[in-house]
Amino acid sequence: MAQNPRIRVDPVSGIPVVRQIADSLRVLFVEGQLVPGTALPSVRRVAMELGVHFNTVAEAYRQLAAEGWLDLKHGRGALVVPRVIPAVKNGAWTEDFRNRLRGMVAQMRSQGISPASIAAELRAMAKVVTRT
Amino acid sequence: MRLVLCAVYVSMGAVLSAIPNMTRRELLFAVPVPPAFRESRAGRHAISRFRTAIAAAVLAGVCALLLSPAELLNATAAAVPIAILLAFVISFYWQNRKLAPAAVQYTRSREAELTAAPEELPRFAWLATGPFVILAAAARWLYLNWNRIPARFPVHFDAGGQPNRWAERTTKGVYGPLFFGAELCAWFLIMALAGWFGSRRSRSRSVMLGGVIAIEYLLGLLFALIAVQALLGIPVWVIALSPMVILIPLIIVMTNKMSEPREPMDPTPNDCWKGGIFYYNPNDAALFVERREGLGYTFNFANRWSWMLLLSLALVIASAPFVLA
C-alpha cells in the first residue's frame, strides 16, 4: 500500500512554522503528490501531530486557499482543488528566483556544505522540476 | 491487619522507588539527559539518593504502624501513605532541580501524515465495556439474592479490620458501590477515548489505552467485590489486596513497553515542563503528551479540556456521599 504523503516541521529551524507548513504542502501540490480532489486532514489533527497551535495550521491552510490550492468549506475540511496557473510576464520572475537561490546557496555554504554537494543537489532538483 | 497494611505500604514504596526505571533511558527524574547518563556516577548517585529518601519514609511508616497504640492506628494508617508520597514528591523534585543544568533539548522535527481517514480505535478497545458488564452482573446477582442479604451489613472498616460503618438493605445501601464504581469506570472510559483522540499517533498511545482499560477493570472488580461482600462476607484484607492482582502485572507490562520504546522521545520543549511533572504548552494542540516521569501520558494543562476532565473527576468523587450509604 502506498504511503500517504507527509509534511515535516522543524521547530528550531528559525523559519516560522506557518511558512514551513505552507511550503511543505505547496511542494506536494506542485509535485503532484496531492492531487485535486484530495481531502487534507483536519486542522486539529495536523496541529496535534506537529505539536503546534490550531491557529498555526489554520493560517497555513488559509494562505494556500488564498493562492488557489485549497478550498476551505466550513465543517468539510480542506480540499485540494485544480488551480488556474496565473500568467507570468516574461523574465520578471527570474531576478527574484535567482536572488532567492543565491540566498539559499549562501546559507548552505555558511553551514559548511561544499559547493560540489550544492551543485549536485541543484542538478537533481532540475531533473525533478522538468519531470513535474 | 497491621501486617496487611505494612505489605501495601512496602509495595507502594517499591513501586515509587522503581519510577526512575519506568521511563526512557533519555529521561532521568523527568530531565532529558544523554542515554549513558544513568550509568554515570552522577546518575547513579541521584537514583540512590532518591531511593534512600523513599526507603526511609517507608521504614519510618512501617515502624509507626507496628508500634502505634490501637487508638491511634486509624490516624497512623492514613498518615503513612501521605508521608511516603510526600517523600517521593520532594525527593523527585529535588533530583529534578539538581539534574536540570545537565538537561539536553531533544529537538527532533515532527511529521504529520496527510490522511483525512477518520481516526480508528484499536480492536481491543471494545474490552473497555467489560467492567460495566462485571458491575451489571454483580447487580443482577444481588437482585436475585436480595432476601439473603442481611438487613444490616458492614461497609467500612478501620485500620484494625473492624467494621466501623454499616448500611441497611436498601437500594442505595446495596447498589451504591456498584453505581459509584460505574461512575468511575465511565470517567476512565472517557479518559481512554480522550487519550486516544487527543494525543499524537504513536505506538505508546496503544499502550496507554490498554493501561487505562486495565485500570477500569481494576475499579470494576474492586467495586463489584465491595458490593457482593454484603452477601459473601469477603474478608477485608482480600478486598484491600485485590487491586494488586491487576496493578502489579500492569506496572510490569507497561514498564517493559514504555521504558524501551521503538520510537524516539516526543520532543516537547523542556521549559514547558513544570517541575518535570506538569506540562503546560499553549502552543501545542495535544491534550495528552507522553509523561517524563513514570508511565503513560499526562495532561497538557494549557488545554482547557484537561481542566474539564479533572473537574468531571472532582464531580464524580463529590457524588460519593450521595451515592454510597
Side-chain angles (χ1 to χ4, degrees):
Chain A
M1 207 174 101
Q3 260 204 332
N4 289 309
R6 289 166 176 270
I7 54 170
R8 183 176 290 191
V9 157
D10 183 356
V12 291
S13 73
I15 301 167
V17 176
V18 174
R19 208 178 116 195
Q20 289 187 52
I21 297 169
D23 288 352
S24 306
L25 285 170
R26 202 180 292 107
V27 167
L28 295 173
F29 299 146
V30 170
E31 290 181 352
Q33 292 192 54
L34 285 173
V35 292
T38 310
L40 290 188
S42 66
V43 165
R44 183 184 148 277
R45 179 40 70 186
V46 176
M48 208 179 296
E49 293 301 323
L50 297 177
V52 297
H53 198 275
F54 303 106
N55 292 344
T56 309
V57 180
E59 177 57 28
Y61 275 21
R62 276 195 294 273
Q63 279 182 19
L64 292 166
E67 290 173 24
W69 294 106
L70 291 178
D71 182 19
L72 303 178
K73 290 235 170 71
H74 186 70
R76 288 202 312 194
L79 198 70
V80 184
V81 288
R83 182 171 179 265
V84 181
I85 299 167
V88 179
K89 283 179 194 158
N90 220 2
W93 63 278
T94 49
E95 187 73 13
D96 177 43
F97 182 64
R98 280 179 190 154
N99 276 340
R100 284 202 219 176
L101 266 184
R102 270 193 217 112
M104 217 178 291
V105 168
Q107 194 187 349
M108 291 296 115
R109 288 196 65 180
S110 68
Q111 286 174 14
I113 314 287
S114 71
S117 304
I118 295 169
E121 276 304 312
L122 286 172
R123 276 194 295 276
M125 188 57 68
K127 280 183 194 164
V128 174
V129 170
T130 45
R131 265 207 311 269
T132 51
Chain B
M1 196 60 201
R2 287 182 195 235
L3 288 178
V4 171
L5 284 172
C6 286
V8 170
Y9 297 150
V10 168
S11 307
M12 181 182 166
V15 170
L16 294 175
S17 299
I19 276 183
N21 295 91
M22 292 180 186
T23 50
R24 295 164 175 273
R25 296 188 61 75
E26 309 98 297
L27 287 169
L28 190 58
F29 298 109
V31 176
V33 291
F37 183 81
R38 252 165 212 272
E39 279 75 41
S40 70
R41 196 165 172 270
R44 279 184 285 127
H45 187 66
I47 295 172
S48 146
R49 293 288 286 270
F50 168 75
R51 286 186 176 150
T52 306
I54 292 176
V58 171
L59 191 65
V62 166
C63 290
L65 207 59
L66 293 175
L67 301 175
S68 73
E71 61 272 19
L72 287 178
L73 192 58
N74 282 344
T76 312
V80 170
I82 296 170
I84 296 172
L85 272 178
L86 264 178
F88 162 73
V89 171
I90 293 169
S91 180
F92 187 95
Y93 185 73
W94 181 255
Q95 297 307 329
N96 174 275
R97 290 294 87 202
K98 276 179 77 176
L99 294 182
V104 290
Q105 175 67 65
Y106 285 95
T107 49
R108 185 172 60 87
S109 57
R110 281 209 179 98
E111 278 189 347
E113 193 181 3
L114 296 174
T115 171
E119 195 81 359
E120 283 179 4
L121 284 164
R123 281 187 191 163
F124 69 82
W126 66 267
L127 288 171
T129 54
F132 296 98
V133 175
I134 293 168
L135 292 166
R140 175 78 182 149
W141 190 70
L142 287 168
Y143 174 76
L144 293 175
N145 293 281
W146 185 264
N147 292 330
R148 286 176 52 214
I149 300 171
R152 195 165 175 263
F153 55 90
V155 288
H156 198 269
F157 301 84
D158 64 16
Q162 297 305 310
N164 59 5
R165 207 165 70 220
W166 283 262
E168 311 267 302
R169 190 180 55 187
T170 58
T171 305
K172 187 179 176 184
V174 174
Y175 298 121
L178 296 173
F179 190 77
F180 187 66
E183 276 187 77
L184 282 171
C185 287
W187 188 81
F188 273 95
L189 177 62
I190 292 168
M191 279 287 285
L193 296 174
W196 180 264
F197 293 106
S199 58
R200 291 182 249 289
R201 292 185 180 116
S202 73
R203 288 195 179 93
S204 311
R205 194 168 64 147
S206 301
V207 179
M208 183 255 304
L209 181 67
V212 177
I213 292 174
I215 292 170
E216 217 191 302
Y217 271 89
L218 186 154
L219 290 168
L221 285 168
L222 182 66
F223 280 92
L225 274 181
I226 291 171
V228 299
Q229 74 89 30
L231 195 55
L232 299 179
I234 301 167
V236 67
W237 66 267
V238 173
I239 297 174
L241 292 179
S242 62
M244 300 293 171
V245 175
I246 291 181
L247 210 53
I248 291 171
L250 174 68
I251 289 170
I252 293 169
V253 170
M254 285 195 69
T255 302
N256 286 341
K257 298 253 182 199
M258 302 287 279
S259 58
E260 292 296 336
R262 288 185 226 162
E263 290 165 333
M265 196 171 83
D266 188 4
T268 43
N270 287 350
D271 53 2
C272 292
W273 286 94
K274 313 298 173 198
I277 296 174
F278 302 105
Y279 182 66
Y280 185 92
N281 185 356
N283 291 320
D284 188 347
L287 171 59
F288 286 90
V289 293
E290 216 178 300
R291 335 170 62 104
R292 284 192 166 183
E293 98 300 345
L295 299 170
Y297 279 54
T298 186
F299 286 113
N300 175 6
F301 284 95
N303 190 314
R304 70 176 189 278
W305 284 103
S306 60
W307 293 102
M308 298 297 274
L309 282 167
L310 287 173
L311 179 70
S312 63
L313 176 64
L315 288 175
V316 168
I317 292 168
S319 76
F322 305 101
V323 173
L324 299 170

